[in-house]
Amino acid sequence: MFIIIGIMLTGMLVGYLLRSKRLTWIHKIITFLIWLLLFLLGIDVGGNEAIMKGLHTLGLEALIITLAAVIGSTLLAWGLWYLLYIRNRDKEEKA
């Protein structure tokens, strides 16, 4: 755990020190590394028999959680939009 936190803090320090440099190429490296991590995760999941046997159950749970998150985010975003824009617009029109 301390190693992970140390690596993250080191990255933050390096990023802080290099903040004035133009590092446009870094996004391509980050994207490639994310793809590599996803590929390696897929290999690990595919090699785990317990996960593969319970994939239909895990998939259903993941679908339900995803739908709940999307619906909840949409409703809360709509509510915030209403509070910030619609209600204030109505107040301005009355004034």
Side-chain angles (χ1 to χ4, degrees):
M1 182 69 146
F2 291 118
I3 293 173
I4 294 171
I5 294 172
I7 291 171
M8 189 172 72
L9 290 175
T10 303
M12 290 171 62
L13 177 64
V14 170
Y16 180 77
L17 295 173
L18 297 176
R19 69 185 180 276
S20 61
K21 305 283 186 200
R22 295 294 275 180
L23 301 175
T24 56
W25 49 270
I26 198 80
H27 298 291
K28 291 180 183 179
I29 293 174
I30 291 171
T31 301
F32 172 75
L33 290 174
I34 289 172
W35 289 346
L36 179 64
L37 284 171
L38 288 172
F39 177 73
L40 293 174
L41 179 65
I43 290 173
D44 190 46
V45 168
N48 189 329
E49 287 186 36
I51 292 177
M52 292 306 289
K53 287 181 181 176
L55 195 58
H56 64 282
T57 305
L58 293 172
L60 180 61
E61 290 176 8
L63 179 66
I64 291 169
I65 290 170
T66 301
L67 288 175
V70 169
I71 291 169
S73 296
T74 303
L75 289 174
L76 289 174
W78 177 83
L80 182 62
W81 177 77
Y82 176 79
L83 286 174
L84 293 177
Y85 295 105
I86 301 298
R87 206 167 83 178
N88 287 338
R89 187 182 67 196
D90 291 343
K91 287 180 182 177
E92 290 174 2
E93 288 176 0
K94 291 179 181 178

